[in-house]
Amino acid sequence: HARRHARHDAVEQLDDALIASVGRRGAAFQHALHEALSGNPLYRETRGAGFMIGVELVHAPHPWLSFEHFGLPELAHMPTIGPLLCYRLYARGFFAFVCGHDWRVLRLQPRFDIPDEKLAELAKACREELDHLAQLS
């Protein structure tokens, strides 16, 4: 009963105003990410809708940044920049993932109630950490 009640409360919060707000804020965040990451050689594009955002990265075929070098030869064919960026963002308090079908795509899915200043921090952290990885490659 408690589980059903919690799910009902969450669904009740999804009104038209909230959905519209997430759409607007997500578009603004995507633009901020694009602005922050443009010019980094490991950045290709930002896409998505609302707070379901994908950041496509460029595979950097550097031998020191390979899964083979990390002792995982079975993953030698997989790009490392996405997982490395996820790890570096996690160390700064942000959860990011790579897409299961393409590890070059960073998957960002902020909570709908995330403050705008935290979104700005995330965009800045993405740039700083991607700049660090670009220096390594």
Side-chain angles (χ1 to χ4, degrees):
H1 176 62
R3 172 186 259 164
R4 200 170 349 146
H5 183 68
R7 186 173 50 232
H8 181 69
D9 288 346
V11 171
E12 280 181 353
Q13 292 180 29
L14 294 177
D15 61 11
D16 291 342
L18 177 62
I19 292 169
S21 170
V22 167
R24 282 190 307 275
R25 294 178 67 223
F29 179 53
Q30 282 185 58
H31 179 74
L33 274 171
H34 176 73
E35 291 295 309
L37 298 174
S38 289
N40 183 298
L42 297 177
Y43 171 71
R44 179 155 296 145
E45 72 170 338
T46 300
R47 57 183 179 259
F51 281 160
M52 293 178 59
I53 299 168
V55 177
E56 186 174 341
L57 304 169
V58 176
H59 175 57
H62 192 288
W64 293 349
L65 295 178
S66 70
F67 281 112
E68 197 166 38
H69 178 77
F70 298 146
L72 299 165
E74 66 276 14
L75 296 177
H77 63 288
M78 300 299 284
T80 57
I81 296 300
L84 289 171
L85 183 55
C86 289
Y87 171 76
R88 295 189 64 83
L89 289 171
Y90 178 75
R92 293 182 64 166
F94 296 105
F95 290 104
F97 309 90
V98 290
C99 288
H101 68 285
D102 188 348
W103 289 8
R104 291 173 304 133
V105 178
L106 183 72
R107 189 166 47 101
L108 298 172
Q109 294 176 278
R111 293 172 50 110
F112 69 82
D113 58 350
I114 188 171
D116 289 336
E117 53 273 5
K118 200 71 170 167
L119 288 173
E121 268 182 57
L122 176 53
K124 182 178 181 223
C126 283
R127 177 58 192 242
E128 290 170 358
E129 298 306 335
L130 200 58
D131 282 350
H132 178 79
L133 293 170
Q135 289 174 358
L136 295 177
S137 63

